[in-house]
Amino acid sequence: MENQRNTIRELPAPERPYEKCMAMGASALSDAELLAVILRTGTKGQGALETARKILSLSPAAEGLLGLHHLTVNELRKVPGIGMVKAVQLSCIGELSKRMTRKSIDREELFSSPDVVAAYFMEEMRHKEKEELRVVFLNTKGRRLHDTVISIGTVNSSMVSPREIFLEALKFQAVSIILLHNHPSGDPAPSREDILVTGRVAEAGKLIGISLTDHIIIGDRCYISLKERGML
């Protein structure tokens, strides 16, 4: 039985993820098999594939490998067979994949549409337990120059400083900006404060010639663009 084997080498040859990858390519491997290749070994009474499946099961079923982004080292270490070294390796793999996705967007896409912006930040922001307001600084071609967190906590017009936002924008020689924040509830519907913040920053931008092109609210796998809703 598979769960009685401790290493991938002890599986029958056709079932070994490493050999399967060599013969058919990495795309032929399941999520669990990909993780098993990285893990190499399981633990007593539990093979590498079973260990990989348990790691994937730590996140909701719909998450799959995406859930790896959000598992902490301590959460990973709760899986039998995952010590500190493997937990750190898996955590780094999750972060690496996230950065690779971002680099791909940086290289190939303009931040010219809400769906591109939302996709860039979705996995990083949708799991946060507090609201986080970010500002994205854009150049004349609509490419991201930089992004920074302006505030953490409820987005409140009395707490958000347009001065701080536009000092940063000038530092990066931005010609336009995008506001972006998350709703921990998962519902991206804008609040009264969200609309007030948007108007306040937009008016300040007009005075110095740096336009606010959108305010995007991130929910759970969904978003709302205030520009698309006619609120900007």
Side-chain angles (χ1 to χ4, degrees):
M1 296 293 291
E2 175 187 292
N3 62 4
Q4 294 176 328
R5 299 184 174 93
N6 293 333
T7 68
I8 290 175
R9 289 177 182 270
E10 292 174 301
L11 291 169
E15 298 178 22
R16 295 174 191 167
Y18 186 87
E19 281 76 1
K20 185 176 177 180
C21 180
M22 292 288 289
M24 304 173 65
S27 62
L29 273 60
S30 67
D31 291 351
E33 288 172 331
L34 287 169
L35 279 181
V37 171
I38 295 164
L39 294 173
R40 295 180 54 244
T41 62
T43 188
K44 186 176 181 180
Q46 177 178 287
L49 273 173
E50 185 61 27
T51 301
R53 292 188 183 110
K54 288 189 175 182
I55 292 169
L56 294 176
S57 72
L58 293 176
S59 300
E63 291 284 320
L65 281 176
L66 287 176
L68 195 60
H69 290 163
H70 311 290
L71 295 174
T72 66
V73 168
N74 286 336
E75 288 172 331
L76 288 165
R77 290 185 67 193
K78 292 178 182 178
V79 177
I82 301 299
M84 179 61 77
V85 172
K86 286 184 179 178
V88 170
Q89 288 174 336
L90 290 169
S91 181
C92 289
I93 288 168
E95 180 62 25
L96 181 63
S97 66
K98 183 168 64 178
R99 293 188 189 187
M100 288 173 68
T101 299
R102 281 190 158 198
K103 290 295 183 182
S104 175
I105 294 175
D106 279 343
R107 185 178 66 253
E108 298 176 1
E109 300 282 358
L110 300 178
F111 271 31
S112 56
S113 63
D115 59 329
V116 172
V117 181
Y120 188 87
F121 291 99
M122 180 65 71
E123 286 308 312
E124 181 174 355
M125 297 187 69
R126 72 184 180 91
H127 292 278
K128 291 185 179 295
E129 296 180 356
K130 293 183 178 180
E131 288 193 17
E132 182 178 280
L133 178 66
R134 289 176 178 251
V135 182
V136 184
F137 307 107
L138 306 176
N139 65 14
T140 55
K141 295 182 178 180
R143 295 191 182 277
R144 186 185 72 92
L145 296 168
H146 184 68
D147 64 84
T148 189
V149 176
I150 294 297
S151 69
I152 297 176
T154 302
V155 174
N156 188 300
S157 61
S158 64
M159 299 294 290
V160 176
S161 169
R163 179 178 182 276
E164 181 182 353
I165 291 172
F166 289 108
L167 281 175
E168 287 289 302
L170 290 169
K171 182 170 73 175
F172 291 100
Q173 299 182 328
V175 299
S176 62
I177 63 171
I178 296 172
L179 291 181
L180 188 96
H181 83 278
N182 62 300
H183 280 180
S185 67
D187 179 3
S191 67
R192 178 177 177 273
E193 286 294 341
D194 295 338
I195 297 170
L196 288 174
V197 166
T198 303
R200 189 176 176 212
V201 174
E203 288 301 315
K206 289 177 183 177
L207 294 176
I208 60 175
I210 299 177
S211 62
L212 173 63
T213 61
D214 206 344
H215 184 171
I216 296 171
I217 304 173
I218 298 289
D220 187 10
R221 292 199 187 88
C222 56
Y223 71 90
I224 281 178
S225 160
L226 268 63
K227 181 179 180 180
E228 290 183 336
R229 291 293 181 95
M231 298 178 181
L232 176 61

